[in-house]
DNA sequence: CGTTGGGTTGAACCCACTCAATACGCGTGG
DNA sequence: CCACGCGTATTGAGTGGGTTCAACCCAACG
């Protein structure tokens, strides 16, 4: 799928921009490991609970946290559970634009327009905290670390959305599904949960919508991955699955990208 | 293309969430008109220039503003010109994830990770301002409006990314190209530029990459739009084109979404 | 038990990709 | 000046990946 590089210069990169006596940029992007991320999430939640007044709410699968079009007042922070955000176009098209886990924030898109731009929906039982944006800012004036939390959360959200765009734009169906599993497992392990055995909280239709394809394609992709022993379904239901190894997943993605991947039908 | 609604309840929406004696959410999203947006952009730039030390830099087509992997220090604000941001995967896949115009900020994705997550590249001659993130925060302590600017810019970025995801995930090729033109025209008119006559600063390959399709598909889509009199190419080059009317564009998008759109080949 | 929602799998179709030929604009240099 | 190369754009023919349509299975539930 259109793997042509966009730039002839991408091999030998152009010289450094204006302000830089900085170390050479390394593309390998040194991800922080799961443990530190988990610690950061917990510390952030603690700091937040100590510094500002948070409203706690228990939600169940299908509950709406906020809706697109609704007036913006609060930001929502996930204490536990799994959530999706749904973007709805004027003509009725709808698209799952984000999956959110413990420590993630939701509702940023409301800041600029004064109203939320998408629906946030719980995919399981969980607890969300809400903080009024204005009181958060007031608190941040005395406690600058709060501002750091906010900005980091927004920044991560932007990075994540762009990774989704990259996946949507450059990966074929099978690789997208595999990459989706990889992302889900990574998110779990970063929160200190076991990532080898994951239970999807979404139907095939929701996954397909999130990945820009049909539910049948998702089903077929999962079947192929199971046949290739990259994943294994547990006895109870086709919602729970095991990921044999992260390496196998990665190599499956890589294999699915090359046209010469029509093995095992 | 998978237009099945994800939720049976989407017609009759679920009852209001927890905290809401608010007006009923209207999905129509009351966009601010072009004039007010243009004023906001100019006021923001002025406020920024007055409140913090900005470094100005003139760039030309192809210049790199910052690179993925590079250490994060500054945020960049576009004073004039056109820019793209490019996300590069570890395996070499690259994807244009954003187009940026006057007043837009770039570099947000560097806040969380300490290094930029994508490349920012000028598509034309222009001027970018850079402000150190730390000094911006210091200035914002005395001048809270600065914080408002920053947050609004980040919030808009998130909204925009999600609109891109919606487009990538739900629209067929022709509609994506048309929607791309609509977005470009809207961006121009919001900045006080004439939007009926636009000159694309990108090759077909770049547009295709941004929209997740091949350059040939872009070319065909544009040709079909020209044949349908939705756009018209100017004499000089196929980079410049006129948009007959915004309504024609919208109806073209709508038509391209239905399978029964095989008119005018 | 019948119904309903979710999941799998097959067969046929079709949109978008691939490959290829052609054309155009532009700068360079003979 | 034209020739040449190069990057870009257009268009056609053919292919294939993913969709569409359909049948079927399974578990939950009234």
């Amino acid at each position: 799928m259109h793997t042509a590089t966009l730039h002839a210069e991408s091999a030998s990169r152009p010289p450094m921009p204006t302000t830089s006596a900085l170390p050479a940029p390394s593309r390998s992007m040194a991800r922080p490991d799961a443990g530190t991320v988990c610690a950061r999430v917990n510390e952030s939640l603690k700091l937040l609970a100590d510094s500002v007044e948070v409203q706690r709410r228990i939600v169940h699968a299908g509950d709406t946290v906020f809706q697109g079009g609704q007036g913006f007042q609060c930001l929502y922070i996930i204490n536990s559970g799994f959530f999706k955000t749904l973007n709805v176009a004027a003509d009725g098209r709808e698209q799952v634009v984000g999956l959110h886990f413990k420590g993630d924030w939701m509702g940023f898109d409301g800041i600029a327009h004064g109203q939320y731009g998408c629906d946030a929906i719980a995919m399981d039982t969980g607890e969300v905290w809400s903080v009024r944006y204005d009181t958060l800012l007031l608190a941040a004036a005395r406690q600058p670390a709060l501002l750091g939390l906010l900005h980091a959360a927004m920044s991560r959200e932007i990075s994540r959305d762009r990774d989704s765009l990259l996946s949507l734009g450059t990966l074929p169906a099978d690789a997208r599904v595999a990459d989706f599993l990889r992302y889900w497992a990574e998110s779990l392990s970063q929160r200190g949960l076991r990532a080898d055995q994951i239970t999807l909280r979404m139907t095939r239709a929701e996954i397909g919508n999130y990945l820009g394809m049909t539910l049948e394609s998702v089903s077929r992709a999962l079947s192929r991955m199971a046949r290739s022993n990259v994943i294994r379904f547990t006895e109870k239901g086709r919602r729970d699955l095991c990921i044999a190894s992260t390496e196998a997943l990665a190599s499956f993605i890589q294999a699915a990208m090359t046209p010469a991947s029509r093995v095992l039908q």
Side-chain angles (χ1 to χ4, degrees), chain A:
Chain A
M1 188 176 233
H2 35 83
T3 42
T5 49
L6 220 45
H7 292 280
E9 350 129 21
S10 73
S12 64
R13 297 211 139 249
M16 285 281 86
T18 172
T19 49
S20 47
L22 297 168
S26 74
R27 194 53 92 168
S28 54
M29 203 41 79
R31 280 186 185 279
D33 73 294
T36 60
V37 173
C38 180
R40 170 181 59 67
V41 166
N42 287 323
E43 284 166 23
S44 300
L45 287 173
K46 185 159 180 358
L47 173 61
L48 197 72
D50 292 344
S51 308
V52 298
E53 189 192 333
V54 302
Q55 194 106 25
R56 290 149 196 269
R57 177 185 171 200
I58 304 290
V59 294
H60 302 279
D63 286 359
T64 304
V65 180
F66 58 82
Q67 262 188 30
Q70 198 179 66
F72 167 77
Q73 269 196 323
C74 293
L75 292 171
Y76 297 85
I77 300 96
I78 300 174
N79 182 58
S80 66
F82 304 87
F83 297 76
K84 65 177 177 183
T85 41
L86 199 66
N87 202 357
V88 183
D91 53 36
R93 285 172 295 131
E94 44 188 40
Q95 167 86 18
V96 177
V97 292
L99 303 176
H100 309 275
F101 303 85
K102 174 178 179 179
D104 286 348
W105 297 47
M106 300 187 296
F108 290 135
D109 51 11
I111 295 178
H113 296 307
Q115 47 188 34
Y116 299 105
C118 52
D119 304 357
I121 297 165
M123 296 193 297
D124 197 359
T125 302
E127 180 180 330
V128 275
W129 300 353
S130 60
V131 300
R132 288 185 55 99
Y133 175 61
D134 45 19
T135 66
L136 178 69
L137 288 186
L138 287 176
R142 297 186 316 274
Q143 176 74 282
L146 278 179
L147 213 52
L149 288 186
L150 174 67
H151 292 173
M154 295 184 84
S155 176
R156 264 181 278 116
E157 183 70 35
I158 291 174
S159 293
R160 174 62 211 158
D161 287 351
R162 291 187 173 163
D163 284 345
S164 289
L165 282 172
L166 178 65
S167 176
L168 269 260
T170 64
L171 291 180
D174 282 18
R176 285 216 286 275
V177 175
D179 191 61
F180 159 75
L181 290 183
R182 192 201 47 68
Y183 164 61
W184 190 291
E186 184 188 63
S187 299
L188 289 185
S189 83
Q190 283 182 347
R191 271 94 179 165
L193 305 168
R194 60 177 309 183
D196 56 338
Q197 188 154 350
I198 77 184
T199 73
L200 304 174
R201 262 98 181 164
M202 333 166 59
T203 66
R204 302 290 191 258
E206 284 178 302
I207 299 173
N209 178 284
Y210 177 56
L211 299 176
M213 58 208 227
T214 60
L215 66 96
E216 291 94 335
S217 293
V218 175
S219 179
R220 280 186 243 268
L222 288 174
S223 295
R224 269 189 287 268
M225 291 175 71
R227 231 168 303 161
S228 308
N229 294 315
V230 175
I231 62 172
R232 193 160 11 87
F233 287 106
T234 61
E235 297 82 66
K236 23 175 41 189
R238 302 131 236 73
R239 252 11 198 276
D240 304 61
L241 48 83
C242 296
I243 296 180
S245 77
T246 321
E247 295 77 39
L249 239 190
S251 68
F252 182 87
I253 297 177
Q254 209 60 33
M257 284 175 53
T258 77
S261 70
R262 290 279 72 84
V263 284
L264 274 173
Q265 104 124 313

